[in-house]
Every structure is written in structure tokens, then in C-alpha cells.
Amino acid sequence: PNLHTVEQCVREQRRRAETMEEGEGCNIYGTMQVARVTGSLNVAPTSSARSNAAGPRRNDVPPRLTPAEVAHFNVTHHIRRFSFGSDFPGQHNPLDGVWTHSPTGAAVARYFLKVVPTTYEFLGGRTVRTDQFSVTQYFKPLDSSMRMSPSISFTFEVTPLRVRKTERRGGSLFAFLTRAAATVGGFFAVAGMIDSFWYHSSKRLVKMQLNKQG
């Protein structure tokens, strides 16, 4: 059938056109379980899924978009929070609060994440097995001549090493006073050595001058 004459298809095309004119965006949030191997999370205006050639077409696979429709896919985005595992004191997630602006609209934004398994041990002995990560960003604007689809992707690789962090108690007041006294004592000892060296040097110079005069 002619898709331009089917009422449902016409409504869908009209709805898409109105959405693009309004510049509507979307919010993506949630959690997911990932295996400890290299993987990726992709956000794009079309699906990479394919239906089985021997089976019926999947209804959850959106139709291919035209170049004009793809050009309206602005990848400007704000990452409020992106983390692996549970939080622990002092944790820093480098993608939290990241804002990426795409002046031309369509672009490819890629984040390459190096994930490091981490064990955090609290003072009471409780441990948390979580992850930290570092990130490298790649950004490339697109135009109509490029045969690439705009997308935002997060590619992560888990390292085979594990980092262990352990909480330590701060020193007591007595220990602080002992260190302070040792520091002050060391200062006076060095000052005494310098003073003694200066005194004996001055005395020797005076004696040498008197011998020359005699």
C-alpha cells in the first residue's frame, strides 16, 4: 500500500513534523545491569534491531528516517548523573553535570569509559564493591553529505585490576601535640646549629685578621 495515503501513516508523519518544529527533547533515566566485559549504550533516532527474515516484522522497530528527519536530531545533551555501582564517600563521577552543545544539531557524541572495580572498606568493617571510571570524549558535527547517523554513545571497558580504599581514623589530640612538639624541637635544633656555626666562623675570621695585623 501507498504509505502516503494510509491514514495512520499520515497521522504519524504529521506528528513527527510537529515534534521537530517544536524542538521537543526527551529525558532518559533508569538503571541497567551490565556484564563485566566491553559494552556500549547508544541513543539514536533509529533502532539497530532487525527482524528475522523468516519471521514477521517486529512492531517495536521504528521505520527508517529520511535525511531531513535525521538532520533535526539535535544531540545537545545534559548528563545529570552517570555512575557505575553504589556510591561511597569521596566518589567522583566525571560525567555528572556534563553539558555538551551541538551548534549544528546533528552530530556524533561518543564517550569512552574506562571502568575500574573498587572495594571501599568503612571503619566498622563493612565493605562496598562498586566501580570508578575515567572518560574520554569524542564529538563530530554532521552534515547532509555524511553517511552517518547522529547518536550519543557510551562505550565502557572494565579493567582487570581492582582498587581498594580503606577508611582511617584521624590522629588523636595527644598525637597532634607530639608531632607539633617534635616539629618545634627540630626547628630550634636546626636554629642552634646555624647559630653555633655562625659564631665559630665569625670568631675564626676575627682571629685571622688579628694575625695579619700582627
Side-chain angles (χ1 to χ4, degrees):
N2 188 350
L3 299 181
H4 295 287
T5 59
V6 178
E7 182 179 355
Q8 181 179 356
C9 295
V10 172
R11 287 201 307 268
E12 181 65 21
Q13 291 177 355
R14 186 184 304 115
R15 187 186 66 80
R16 275 197 218 159
E18 292 175 353
T19 299
M20 289 189 297
E21 289 296 331
E22 294 172 358
E24 181 180 347
C26 61
N27 292 320
I28 301 176
Y29 64 93
T31 59
M32 60 184 296
Q33 292 184 346
V34 297
R36 291 193 173 275
V37 294
T38 301
S40 62
L41 170 65
N42 302 294
V43 180
T46 186
S47 173
S48 59
R50 293 291 181 269
S51 60
N52 191 331
R57 178 180 175 83
R58 289 177 50 180
N59 294 327
D60 59 343
V61 179
R64 289 274 180 194
L65 302 179
T66 65
E69 290 173 326
V70 171
H72 282 81
F73 189 77
N74 193 315
V75 301
T76 296
H77 56 278
H78 179 208
I79 303 174
R80 296 184 182 275
R81 177 171 172 78
F82 196 101
S83 64
F84 287 86
S86 304
D87 291 342
F88 60 86
Q91 183 178 8
H92 171 66
N93 298 317
L95 284 180
D96 288 0
V98 169
W99 169 267
T100 301
H101 176 58
S102 179
T104 59
V108 172
R110 294 176 180 171
Y111 297 93
F112 300 94
L113 285 61
K114 186 75 70 173
V115 183
V116 181
T118 302
T119 299
Y120 189 91
E121 183 177 352
F122 291 87
L123 287 174
R126 182 173 65 90
T127 60
V128 173
R129 296 174 67 89
T130 182
D131 300 274
Q132 304 177 87
F133 68 94
S134 59
V135 62
T136 302
Q137 183 178 1
Y138 168 83
F139 184 86
K140 181 179 181 62
L142 299 179
D143 55 43
S144 58
S145 64
M146 298 180 179
R147 299 178 59 85
M148 298 176 63
S149 296
S151 63
I152 305 171
S153 64
F154 303 86
T155 301
F156 53 88
E157 178 183 359
V158 182
T159 64
L161 303 178
R162 175 173 290 275
V163 173
R164 185 177 186 88
K165 292 177 174 286
T166 305
E167 284 188 343
R168 301 291 185 187
R169 293 186 182 277
S172 63
L173 178 60
F174 177 76
F176 170 75
L177 293 177
T178 301
R179 290 194 299 269
T183 302
V184 173
F187 172 78
F188 279 107
V190 173
M193 293 173 59
I194 295 175
D195 181 69
S196 176
F197 173 79
W198 180 260
Y199 171 76
H200 289 292
S201 298
S202 301
K203 189 175 181 180
R204 184 173 300 176
L205 289 174
V206 171
K207 186 176 181 181
M208 292 174 62
Q209 291 177 358
L210 291 176
N211 291 334
K212 289 181 179 180
Q213 292 176 1

